[in-house]
Amino acid sequence: ASWTALDALCRIIPKDDYDGYVGPVSRAVVHATESLPAGQATLPGFNLPKGVGPLLPIYSQGLLAGSPDTKERAVRGMARLVRFTDPAALRLFATGITGPLIRIVGDRHPPNVKAAILSTLGLLLAQVPQLMRPFLPQLQRTFVRGLSELDDAVRRRAAMALSALIPLQTRLDPLVSELAAGIKSAEEQGMKNAMMKAVVAVVQAPNAKSLSPASIQAIEALTKSNADSVDSRWQLLRSQAFGALCGVVPQDAALQLIGSNAVIDAGDSVPAQAAKLHCLAAVIAESPALFAGSSELQSRIASSVDTALAPDVASVQRALASLPAARVAKNTLLNLDIAPAGSAIIAPLIEALVRVVDPPTMGAFDSDTQQQALAGLKSVAKHRFAIAEPQRDAIVAAAMAHVRDRNITVKLAAERCALYALRLANVPAEGFAGDSRGLDAYVQNMGGPASDKGKQVVDYHRRVLNKLADTTRELDYASDDEDDPHRERAGANSDDEA
């Protein structure tokens, strides 16, 4: 009955007046969708046979004839219709929504309108991919053009939409050629970054194995281009593409790529070390199986980290390499395939991380690297205490040296590191509730509670660590797994939604 009344009401509105109703309709749809019960993902009325039919002409007219503000509201209204309608109920309307969006996306619009259009098209690809296949050629051209827009939000939406389209394409080689040419010709770094994000989506796609040798060669060349760039976004995307590429090519080719581009050689400059370590971190995240069982590659990981975290290297640029080196050490230690219990790689990597925060050598490292090293040691102690236990005393002593650090991020990281290295915290995922045995053993190893280090940790436990441990046992405690090994790739690939 409600749908019938809505349909009748919309029919008596003159078409020329539709754009004036975009605002009221959008507010009503927002109210209805935000009032849905928890766990209900769609609006029941939208799932009827012609559910969104009465509202779609209003949004379409607003999109084609409205002011810039009305156009943006209309596009966002369409996106909400798509988001809160069951894919099966959208079958009748896929063309009616996609057609007007494609028709106007090439016109001159304010960036916010263009970004909203690209975002809605990407949402359609995610929600009803099979219904969008007839539009793939037009959509690909639209999204690739969007990567060259001056506005960063438009570029990001175009890259995200293209990432949703790529798994649906049967032939990726033409797209790779277009992206490679675009990166070479683009003058603005933001455009290069947007195009490289699309390249990452190509090599991470399920159909990436279909890439031709020429495309593989082009992507490899892109991962080596601008390797010394100071743009952190470019370095991240370049290394992600490299890591995914190593999972696409045959194993012998992947090992050759790693040996040439992802492990440090004698004589490498600090920027070259940084570029290789970024690639190494990406391969560990994307294709860890390549390192499993290879003592030679594992040894190269350890030597690369050791070189970048050597305390006798003085350079104003050293943080470029030391920060990714600490991240490589952490991710390697957390990976059961690369660093199983008893592996020879474990001790040197933990020692390298301890060296970053140990008082005799910590002066060679900046606060960001120290924070990363402490976070890594904390994660290893939390998730794989068995491999950290042999060096527990060194880890705790280094962490305690920073619990009064002036840099608050280092101080907090040091407290969490000590908390988990002493096994004081509750770790439900590991089946450990936390107790004082680790604290007691450390104090005795330091010479008893009367010794300087023993007295320091007992006092700090009484005032701070004991309270932190209690918070981990509260029912509403939010885990601090920001550096959980299983979140590494997702975090790397995410983009903010505007």
Side-chain angles (χ1 to χ4, degrees):
S2 298
W3 182 90
T4 302
L6 175 64
D7 183 51
L9 178 62
C10 292
R11 286 178 183 276
I12 64 173
I13 301 173
K15 182 178 179 180
D16 292 343
D17 295 340
Y18 276 173
D19 58 318
Y21 288 87
V22 170
V25 168
S26 294
R27 288 191 292 271
V29 171
V30 168
H31 176 75
T33 53
E34 289 184 349
S35 301
L36 287 172
Q40 187 171 324
T42 60
L43 199 64
F46 288 175
N47 296 334
L48 294 174
K50 296 182 180 180
V52 300
L55 303 181
L56 191 55
I58 294 176
Y59 284 139
S60 296
Q61 184 66 16
L63 184 63
L64 297 172
S67 66
D69 285 346
T70 299
K71 289 179 188 291
E72 183 179 7
R73 284 200 190 106
V75 177
R76 295 195 182 282
M78 285 182 169
R80 193 164 281 265
L81 295 186
V82 173
R83 188 176 290 114
F84 288 94
T85 303
D86 187 271
L90 280 175
R91 298 184 68 88
L92 287 174
F93 306 102
T95 301
I97 297 174
T98 308
L101 292 173
I102 292 178
R103 197 179 313 140
I104 74 160
V105 71
D107 298 341
R108 298 185 65 177
H109 298 294
N112 57 327
V113 175
K114 190 161 288 190
I117 294 172
L118 293 169
S119 181
T120 303
L121 289 170
L123 181 61
L124 280 163
L125 283 165
Q127 291 282 86
V128 285
Q130 296 306 317
L131 300 181
M132 301 297 287
R133 285 192 178 276
F135 302 103
L136 291 185
Q138 295 166 280
L139 290 173
Q140 180 170 303
R141 288 193 297 270
T142 296
F143 298 154
V144 171
R145 281 198 302 267
L147 300 175
S148 300
E149 290 282 341
L150 294 176
D151 186 79
D152 181 60
V154 174
R155 292 195 299 259
R156 284 191 290 116
R157 293 300 181 274
M160 293 169 67
L162 190 56
S163 298
L165 178 146
I166 284 168
L168 304 176
Q169 279 288 30
T170 54
R171 293 182 64 246
L172 295 175
D173 294 322
L175 177 58
V176 171
S177 299
E178 192 170 2
L179 293 172
I183 290 174
K184 290 177 183 176
S185 63
E187 297 181 359
E188 211 261 316
Q189 185 61 48
M191 296 178 186
K192 292 179 183 287
N193 292 349
M195 293 176 194
M196 184 57 92
K197 181 173 175 59
V199 172
V200 172
V202 169
V203 285
Q204 288 181 344
N207 48 342
K209 296 273 187 187
S210 67
L211 289 169
S212 68
S215 293
I216 295 290
Q217 188 175 6
I219 294 172
E220 181 184 346
L222 289 174
T223 65
K224 297 177 182 178
S225 64
N226 298 326
D228 57 350
S229 171
V230 295
D231 187 273
S232 59
R233 181 66 176 162
W234 172 262
Q235 286 289 5
L236 174 65
L237 293 167
R238 184 188 67 82
S239 59
Q240 284 179 358
F242 179 85
L245 182 64
C246 288
V248 171
V249 299
Q251 184 173 349
D252 56 343
L255 296 179
Q256 187 174 357
L257 284 172
I258 294 170
S260 302
N261 304 284
V263 289
I264 293 176
D265 295 310
D268 280 343
S269 65
V270 172
Q273 292 179 12
K276 289 184 173 183
L277 288 164
H278 281 297
C279 287
L280 183 56
V283 181
I284 290 170
E286 298 279 351
S287 309
L290 290 170
F291 299 94
S294 174
S295 58
E296 180 183 353
L297 274 182
Q298 292 173 9
S299 175
R300 296 294 299 274
I301 292 176
S303 64
S304 294
V305 170
D306 188 67
T307 298
L309 296 182
D312 56 341
V313 178
S315 169
V316 293
Q317 293 182 312
R318 77 161 300 137
L320 292 175
S322 62
L323 193 58
R327 192 173 294 118
V328 165
K330 178 192 74 174
N331 293 350
T332 301
L333 289 166
L334 292 174
N335 193 291
L336 291 169
D337 293 328
I338 306 175
S343 171
I345 197 176
I346 292 172
L349 290 181
I350 292 180
E351 289 168 3
L353 290 175
V354 170
R355 194 161 60 230
V356 174
V357 288
D358 198 30
T361 52
M362 67 183 186
F365 303 96
D366 67 305
S367 58
D368 288 340
T369 305
Q370 291 175 359
Q371 188 273 335
Q372 182 70 44
L374 288 164
L377 291 168
K378 181 222 78 172
S379 279
V380 175
K382 179 177 181 179
H383 296 288
R384 301 194 66 192
F385 181 74
I387 69 170
E389 188 173 14
Q391 300 188 63
R392 178 199 59 201
D393 291 353
I395 294 172
V396 174
M400 291 303 299
H402 292 269
V403 293
R404 300 183 188 278
D405 200 287
R406 292 181 180 180
N407 185 303
I408 188 64
T409 61
V410 174
K411 169 185 167 61
L412 295 176
E415 290 177 348
R416 308 303 293 185
C417 180
L419 180 71
Y420 287 99
L422 290 169
R423 299 283 269 171
L424 299 169
N426 178 36
V427 189
E430 309 298 325
F432 185 74
D435 56 41
S436 63
R437 287 178 294 174
L439 174 67
D440 296 339
Y442 174 77
V443 170
Q444 291 304 314
N445 291 345
M446 293 298 105
S451 66
D452 290 341
K453 289 185 177 180
K455 183 178 180 181
Q456 179 200 24
V457 74
V458 168
D459 178 63
Y460 206 76
H461 172 259
R462 177 179 54 82
R463 294 187 298 104
V464 178
L465 296 180
N466 189 44
K467 296 174 184 177
L468 286 177
D470 287 341
T471 64
T472 66
R473 299 183 183 91
E474 295 174 358
L475 292 177
D476 59 348
Y477 174 68
S479 176
D480 58 349
D481 275 345
E482 74 285 346
D483 48 8
D484 187 290
H486 304 296
R487 297 180 56 176
E488 198 67 29
R489 173 171 170 174
N493 291 337
S494 64
D495 266 300
D496 295 330
E497 283 285 351

